[in-house]
Amino acid sequence: MSPLSRLIRTDLYRHDGLVGFAGFCRGLLRPGFRYTLVMRLMAARRRPSPLRFFLRVLKRRYRFKYGFEINPEARIGEGFLLTDHCGPVVIGPVEIGKLCSVAHNVTIGRAYKNGEIGRPTLGDRVWVGAGAVLVGRIAIGTDVLIAPNAFVNFDVPDHSLVIG
């Protein structure tokens, strides 16, 4: 199994355990999976081609239709879940671990402090609630739950709960 198909299968499984061709067809009805699929396919095809152009057009359409915007420089692990509640999700050039979930109205991005750019790094199995903001050079540990509407600009240790 290729690394790309493994990524896509793991992302698909995060949507209510969907598997196989029938699950893939059902997953295509979900905005979060559709955007993630296009994002993964674009990352796998770096060289210009008609397929990459088509994927770029789809990604732009989904950005305006659903409000998802993920920077192409973002490194996102397998099992990434964008919840199906449409709303603006902005993810900058950050690093996100495996099996992470992001709800709607979330911003994860860089911040400037003392003339330096800081970018968040999220560990594995992180859940980011609706309306949360994560900015700056911070490290979010493994198995962390960030509650809705939390503003996080500090390091969070493993196995923690952050409430805004």
Side-chain angles (χ1 to χ4, degrees):
M1 180 184 327
S2 73
L4 176 62
S5 64
R6 181 175 175 203
L7 278 174
I8 293 171
R9 285 178 189 215
T10 310
D11 292 342
L12 178 64
Y13 186 76
R14 292 292 310 280
H15 289 271
D16 297 328
L18 298 176
V19 293
F21 182 74
F24 181 77
C25 292
R26 287 181 52 201
L28 289 177
L29 299 175
R30 298 170 180 249
F33 177 71
R34 231 180 309 175
Y35 186 87
T36 305
L37 176 66
V38 170
M39 178 189 69
R40 299 283 194 203
L41 292 173
M42 280 189 66
R45 290 166 180 33
R46 296 275 183 208
R47 297 170 61 170
S49 69
L51 178 59
R52 182 163 169 81
F53 176 76
F54 176 71
L55 291 171
R56 190 173 175 165
V57 169
L58 268 182
K59 187 176 177 187
R60 183 177 173 88
R61 174 174 161 66
Y62 294 159
R63 186 177 91 201
F64 290 112
K65 186 174 182 179
Y66 304 123
F68 303 140
E69 184 169 355
I70 299 176
N71 191 305
E73 294 176 26
R75 289 180 288 176
I76 300 174
E78 62 187 36
F80 182 66
L81 174 67
L82 279 173
T83 60
D84 292 327
H85 303 287
C86 296
V89 172
V90 179
I91 299 176
V94 300
E95 187 173 333
I96 299 176
K98 298 178 183 178
L99 304 172
C100 291
S101 301
V102 175
H104 58 287
N105 295 333
V106 168
T107 300
I108 304 173
R110 61 185 174 190
Y112 297 96
K113 185 175 183 180
N114 300 331
E116 293 182 19
I117 298 174
R119 296 179 174 146
T121 302
L122 281 68
D124 297 339
R125 296 177 302 280
V126 174
W127 185 83
V128 183
V133 177
L134 288 71
V135 293
R137 182 176 292 165
I138 58 174
I140 308 296
T142 300
D143 294 321
V144 172
L145 187 142
I146 298 173
N149 296 320
F151 179 82
V152 182
N153 63 350
F154 52 88
D155 291 343
V156 178
D158 294 345
H159 313 291
S160 298
L161 169 66
V162 178
I163 299 174

XYZ file of all heavy atoms in Angstrom, residues 54-117:
509
model
N -6.442 20.989 -11.912
C -7.819 20.671 -11.547
C -7.985 20.598 -10.027
O -8.953 21.124 -9.475
C -8.230 19.348 -12.195
C -9.603 18.888 -11.802
C -10.728 19.552 -12.267
C -9.771 17.807 -10.956
C -11.998 19.137 -11.902
C -11.033 17.386 -10.581
C -12.148 18.056 -11.060
N -7.026 19.970 -9.349
C -7.080 19.883 -7.890
C -6.982 21.269 -7.254
O -7.652 21.549 -6.256
C -5.963 18.985 -7.367
C -6.094 17.502 -7.684
C -4.816 16.770 -7.308
C -7.302 16.905 -6.994
N -6.169 22.119 -7.835
C -6.034 23.488 -7.318
C -7.344 24.262 -7.447
O -7.734 24.999 -6.536
C -4.903 24.193 -8.061
C -4.517 25.484 -7.473
C -3.298 26.010 -8.156
N -3.003 27.324 -7.638
C -1.869 27.934 -7.802
N -0.903 27.359 -8.455
N -1.688 29.130 -7.313
N -8.024 24.072 -8.577
C -9.324 24.722 -8.777
C -10.337 24.187 -7.758
O -11.099 24.962 -7.153
C -9.824 24.506 -10.226
C -11.271 24.937 -10.379
C -8.935 25.257 -11.207
N -10.351 22.857 -7.544
C -11.255 22.273 -6.545
C -10.972 22.804 -5.149
O -11.898 23.139 -4.406
C -11.110 20.751 -6.541
C -12.019 19.944 -7.421
C -11.749 18.460 -7.241
C -13.467 20.253 -7.171
N -9.695 22.862 -4.795
C -9.331 23.342 -3.460
C -9.771 24.787 -3.262
O -10.286 25.155 -2.210
C -7.826 23.206 -3.240
C -7.409 23.522 -1.821
C -5.930 23.283 -1.621
C -5.547 23.687 -0.209
N -4.126 23.637 0.013
N -9.600 25.593 -4.281
C -10.034 26.996 -4.202
C -11.559 27.088 -4.065
O -12.073 27.876 -3.276
C -9.552 27.752 -5.436
C -9.878 29.216 -5.430
C -9.288 29.874 -6.669
N -9.707 31.229 -6.794
C -9.083 32.266 -6.253
N -8.000 32.076 -5.544
N -9.530 33.490 -6.432
N -12.268 26.257 -4.808
C -13.731 26.239 -4.715
C -14.179 25.845 -3.307
O -15.062 26.477 -2.727
C -14.310 25.268 -5.742
C -15.801 25.069 -5.618
C -16.328 24.219 -6.750
N -17.613 23.629 -6.508
C -18.754 24.281 -6.368
N -18.767 25.594 -6.400
N -19.880 23.640 -6.179
N -13.556 24.804 -2.756
C -13.918 24.360 -1.409
C -13.556 25.405 -0.361
O -14.235 25.530 0.651
C -13.242 23.035 -1.074
C -13.723 21.866 -1.909
C -12.949 20.738 -2.052
C -14.946 21.898 -2.576
C -13.370 19.664 -2.814
C -15.373 20.840 -3.341
C -14.584 19.719 -3.458
O -15.008 18.665 -4.206
N -12.476 26.141 -0.613
C -12.100 27.197 0.329
C -13.208 28.236 0.448
O -13.557 28.664 1.548
C -10.794 27.859 -0.120
C -10.282 28.861 0.895
C -8.965 29.437 0.470
N -9.244 30.638 -0.307
C -8.401 31.176 -1.163
N -7.244 30.631 -1.392
N -8.711 32.269 -1.802
N -13.775 28.634 -0.677
C -14.847 29.638 -0.645
C -16.186 29.032 -0.235
O -16.980 29.680 0.444
C -14.974 30.333 -1.997
C -13.823 31.238 -2.299
C -12.927 30.950 -3.306
C -13.602 32.375 -1.536
C -11.857 31.774 -3.572
C -12.522 33.215 -1.787
C -11.651 32.909 -2.814
N -16.446 27.802 -0.615
C -17.731 27.164 -0.319
C -17.848 26.767 1.149
O -18.889 26.975 1.769
C -17.908 25.932 -1.205
C -19.263 25.286 -1.081
C -19.410 24.163 -2.097
C -20.792 23.540 -2.003
N -20.963 22.477 -2.985
N -16.782 26.173 1.711
C -16.846 25.649 3.075
C -16.067 26.465 4.093
O -16.269 26.305 5.289
C -16.334 24.206 3.110
C -17.065 23.293 2.170
C -16.380 22.580 1.194
C -18.442 23.144 2.246
C -17.045 21.735 0.323
C -19.121 22.303 1.375
C -18.407 21.603 0.422
O -19.066 20.783 -0.436
N -15.155 27.300 3.651
C -14.389 28.132 4.570
C -13.114 27.489 5.086
O -12.487 28.018 5.992
N -12.695 26.350 4.530
C -11.464 25.697 4.959
C -10.282 26.302 4.208
O -10.337 26.474 2.992
C -11.489 24.191 4.660
C -12.640 23.456 5.263
C -13.289 22.475 4.556
C -13.071 23.723 6.554
C -14.342 21.769 5.106
C -14.121 23.025 7.111
C -14.762 22.047 6.386
N -9.230 26.618 4.943
C -8.005 27.098 4.286
C -6.805 26.545 5.036
O -6.548 26.921 6.180
C -7.956 28.621 4.255
C -6.754 29.118 3.509
C -6.810 30.606 3.231
O -7.822 31.243 3.524
O -5.804 31.115 2.715
N -6.089 25.638 4.393
C -4.909 25.023 4.980
C -3.724 25.337 4.090
O -3.746 25.074 2.880
C -5.093 23.496 5.138
C -6.265 23.214 6.075
C -3.820 22.855 5.656
C -6.598 21.755 6.238
N -2.695 25.903 4.681
C -1.490 26.268 3.956
C -0.839 25.019 3.371
O -0.735 24.000 4.047
C -0.520 26.969 4.921
C 0.628 27.613 4.204
O 1.345 26.990 3.452
N 0.814 28.897 4.467
N -0.377 25.086 2.123
C 0.290 23.924 1.519
C 1.563 23.497 2.257
O 1.997 22.358 2.134
C 0.624 24.378 0.102
C -0.192 25.585 -0.149
C -0.525 26.184 1.173
N 2.167 24.390 3.035
C 3.379 24.057 3.777
C 3.078 23.332 5.090
O 4.003 22.869 5.757
C 4.176 25.324 4.080
C 4.731 26.009 2.858
C 5.426 27.309 3.217
O 5.903 27.447 4.362
O 5.482 28.185 2.348
N 1.818 23.238 5.464
C 1.452 22.549 6.704
C 1.752 21.065 6.563
O 1.438 20.450 5.542
C -0.023 22.768 7.009
N 2.374 20.501 7.585
C 2.658 19.061 7.605
C 1.654 18.422 8.562
O 1.719 18.653 9.772
C 4.088 18.793 8.041
C 5.089 19.224 6.960
C 6.481 18.973 7.389
N 6.774 19.967 8.433
C 7.898 20.009 9.110
N 8.837 19.143 8.888
N 8.091 20.930 10.030
N 0.760 17.629 7.990
C -0.346 17.061 8.759
C -0.246 15.542 8.711
O -0.170 14.947 7.633
C -1.699 17.539 8.201
C -1.771 19.065 8.287
C -2.846 16.903 8.950
C -2.980 19.679 7.654
N -0.274 14.919 9.884
C -0.164 13.475 9.990
C -1.429 12.761 9.547
O -2.462 13.376 9.261
N -1.347 11.433 9.527
C -2.481 10.623 9.073
C -3.629 10.683 10.070
O -3.440 10.947 11.245
C -2.041 9.180 8.854
C -1.543 8.496 10.089
C -0.966 7.124 9.800
O -0.337 6.930 8.757
O -1.165 6.248 10.656
N -4.815 10.452 9.554
C -5.997 10.451 10.404
C -6.489 11.840 10.761
O -7.129 12.030 11.783
N -6.238 12.820 9.916
C -6.672 14.191 10.171
C -8.174 14.298 9.940
O -8.709 13.775 8.972
C -5.924 15.156 9.242
C -6.254 16.591 9.449
C -5.919 17.233 10.620
C -6.889 17.314 8.465
C -6.216 18.572 10.814
C -7.184 18.649 8.637
C -6.849 19.272 9.814
N -8.879 14.956 10.857
C -10.326 15.082 10.763
C -10.741 16.543 10.842
O -10.521 17.205 11.854
C -11.008 14.293 11.890
C -12.524 14.431 12.010
C -13.210 13.803 10.804
C -13.018 13.792 13.279
N -11.325 17.037 9.754
C -12.004 18.331 9.764
C -13.473 18.017 9.989
O -14.069 17.264 9.217
C -11.849 19.035 8.416
C -10.565 19.786 8.150
C -10.529 20.259 6.706
C -10.411 20.945 9.080
N -14.052 18.558 11.041
C -15.455 18.238 11.313
C -16.338 18.740 10.176
O -15.976 19.659 9.447
C -15.919 18.846 12.642
O -15.766 20.259 12.584
C -15.138 18.280 13.804
N -17.493 18.135 10.044
C -18.373 18.440 8.922
C -19.186 19.702 9.105
O -20.002 20.036 8.268
C -19.308 17.254 8.665
C -18.538 16.055 8.142
O -17.539 16.260 7.427
O -18.925 14.926 8.452
N -18.999 20.398 10.213
C -19.670 21.673 10.399
C -18.890 22.708 9.612
O -17.756 23.007 9.940
C -19.700 22.073 11.871
C -20.342 21.039 12.725
N -21.693 20.820 12.719
C -19.820 20.165 13.611
C -21.977 19.848 13.557
N -20.860 19.434 14.113
N -19.481 23.226 8.571
C -18.771 24.188 7.733
C -18.596 25.488 8.493
O -19.478 25.954 9.191
C -19.540 24.427 6.446
S -19.658 22.958 5.429
N -17.460 26.055 8.354
C -17.126 27.311 9.000
C -15.657 27.553 8.789
O -14.915 26.632 8.442
N -15.219 28.759 8.972
C -13.827 29.057 8.661
C -12.851 28.272 9.537
O -12.945 28.281 10.753
C -13.707 30.559 8.919
C -14.883 30.922 9.730
C -15.941 29.909 9.476
N -11.956 27.567 8.877
C -10.843 26.888 9.529
C -9.601 27.369 8.813
O -9.461 27.168 7.607
C -10.966 25.347 9.420
C -9.707 24.680 9.933
C -12.170 24.854 10.173
N -8.719 28.033 9.541
C -7.490 28.553 8.955
C -6.318 27.881 9.655
O -6.159 28.008 10.863
C -7.408 30.088 9.109
C -6.110 30.610 8.523
C -8.597 30.756 8.462
N -5.526 27.158 8.877
C -4.351 26.480 9.408
C -3.156 26.937 8.592
O -3.106 26.729 7.373
C -4.504 24.948 9.349
C -5.705 24.513 10.189
C -3.235 24.258 9.822
C -6.017 23.038 10.129
N -2.214 27.561 9.256
C -1.022 28.068 8.598
C 0.034 26.996 8.425
O -0.233 25.804 8.553
N 1.263 27.415 8.152
C 2.357 26.453 7.958
C 2.814 25.860 9.284
O 3.819 26.272 9.850
C 3.443 27.292 7.296
C 3.174 28.679 7.747
C 1.691 28.781 7.942
N 2.059 24.909 9.794
C 2.311 24.315 11.105
C 2.576 22.822 10.948
O 2.476 22.274 9.856
C 1.113 24.542 12.053
C 0.860 26.023 12.257
C -0.136 23.871 11.537
N 2.869 22.173 12.063
C 3.051 20.727 12.069
C 2.001 20.117 12.989
O 1.897 20.500 14.155
C 4.450 20.373 12.553
C 4.772 18.912 12.435
C 6.225 18.619 12.762
O 7.072 19.501 12.591
O 6.472 17.484 13.194
N 1.233 19.176 12.443
C 0.155 18.530 13.192
C 0.406 17.029 13.175
O 0.680 16.451 12.125
C -1.223 18.868 12.575
C -1.467 20.374 12.631
C -2.332 18.121 13.283
C -2.743 20.827 11.967
N 0.286 16.390 14.329
C 0.547 14.963 14.461
C -0.581 14.092 13.931
O -1.497 14.546 13.253
N -0.529 12.816 14.294
C -1.503 11.830 13.830
C -2.808 11.918 14.627
O -2.811 12.288 15.788
C -0.947 10.419 14.009
C 0.291 10.140 13.211
C 0.782 8.745 13.509
C 2.073 8.480 12.773
N 2.594 7.136 13.093
N -3.891 11.539 13.958
C -5.213 11.397 14.569
C -5.693 12.657 15.282
O -6.249 12.601 16.372
C -5.226 10.203 15.531
C -4.824 8.866 14.929
C -4.698 7.817 16.009
C -5.792 8.432 13.854
N -5.493 13.802 14.662
C -5.927 15.072 15.240
C -7.261 15.496 14.627
O -7.531 15.228 13.465
C -4.881 16.160 15.000
S -3.385 15.876 15.946
N -8.075 16.171 15.432
C -9.385 16.643 14.993
C -9.470 18.149 15.169
O -9.032 18.678 16.192
C -10.488 15.987 15.825
O -10.433 14.596 15.716
N -10.043 18.815 14.182
C -10.193 20.265 14.222
C -11.648 20.600 13.920
O -12.195 20.175 12.900
C -9.255 20.943 13.194
C -9.493 22.435 13.151
C -7.805 20.644 13.508
N -12.273 21.349 14.817
C -13.663 21.768 14.633
C -13.718 23.059 13.804
O -12.697 23.560 13.342
C -14.320 21.961 15.996
N -14.900 23.608 13.660
C -15.084 24.810 12.845
C -14.662 26.079 13.617
O -14.546 26.070 14.831
C -16.532 24.920 12.373
C -17.536 24.954 13.472
N -17.857 23.845 14.218
C -18.277 25.957 13.973
C -18.751 24.169 15.108
N -19.027 25.449 14.992
N -14.434 27.149 12.865
C -14.022 28.457 13.403
C -12.700 28.402 14.164
O -12.515 29.120 15.142
C -15.108 29.052 14.304
C -16.364 29.384 13.540
O -16.309 29.652 12.345
N -17.486 29.356 14.203
N -11.777 27.567 13.730
C -10.482 27.396 14.392
C -9.403 28.095 13.584
O -9.410 28.070 12.357
C -10.147 25.894 14.550
C -8.713 25.685 14.965
C -11.082 25.256 15.551
N -8.465 28.722 14.305
C -7.288 29.317 13.683
C -6.055 28.724 14.345
O -5.911 28.783 15.567
C -7.286 30.847 13.849
O -8.465 31.382 13.236
C -6.056 31.455 13.213
N -5.188 28.154 13.541
C -3.901 27.648 14.022
C -2.851 28.296 13.135
O -2.783 28.008 11.938
C -3.811 26.107 13.914
C -4.959 25.444 14.664
C -2.476 25.616 14.430
C -5.041 23.948 14.476
N -2.060 29.189 13.709
C -1.131 29.905 12.855
C 0.058 30.469 13.577
O 0.233 30.300 14.779
N 0.834 31.174 12.820
C 2.069 31.744 13.350
C 1.814 33.118 13.942
O 0.808 33.764 13.663
C 3.118 31.807 12.262
C 2.740 32.661 11.089
C 3.784 32.576 10.023
N 3.325 33.301 8.841
C 3.920 33.246 7.691
N 4.990 32.521 7.542
N 3.465 33.927 6.676
N 2.750 33.526 14.762
C 2.689 34.850 15.367
C 4.090 35.435 15.394
O 5.081 34.703 15.404
C 2.119 34.766 16.780
N 4.165 36.730 15.391
C 5.437 37.427 15.454
C 5.642 37.953 16.863
O 4.778 38.618 17.407
C 5.459 38.588 14.466
C 5.345 38.141 13.035
C 4.115 38.131 12.387
C 6.456 37.705 12.332
C 4.000 37.716 11.076
C 6.350 37.282 11.017
C 5.122 37.298 10.401
O 5.017 36.872 9.108
N 6.789 37.623 17.443
C 7.107 38.108 18.777
C 8.590 38.429 18.813
O 9.422 37.586 18.502
C 6.765 37.045 19.824
C 6.948 37.516 21.241
C 6.477 36.450 22.212
C 6.593 36.963 23.625
N 6.151 35.945 24.585
N 8.905 39.644 19.162
C 10.293 40.106 19.211
C 11.013 39.897 17.890
O 12.175 39.520 17.851
C 11.059 39.408 20.334
C 10.458 39.665 21.699
O 9.855 40.720 21.912
N 10.591 38.721 22.599
N 10.298 40.096 16.794
C 10.898 39.979 15.470
C 11.089 38.559 14.977
O 11.664 38.344 13.925
N 10.604 37.553 15.717
C 10.745 36.158 15.311
C 9.374 35.567 14.989
O 8.387 35.871 15.644
C 11.392 35.338 16.424
C 12.826 35.713 16.705
C 13.432 34.832 17.786
O 12.880 33.749 18.047
O 14.441 35.231 18.363
N 9.372 34.682 13.995
C 8.146 33.994 13.623
C 8.037 32.718 14.445
O 8.991 31.946 14.545
C 8.145 33.624 12.126
C 8.212 34.879 11.272
C 6.912 32.808 11.778
C 8.358 34.592 9.798
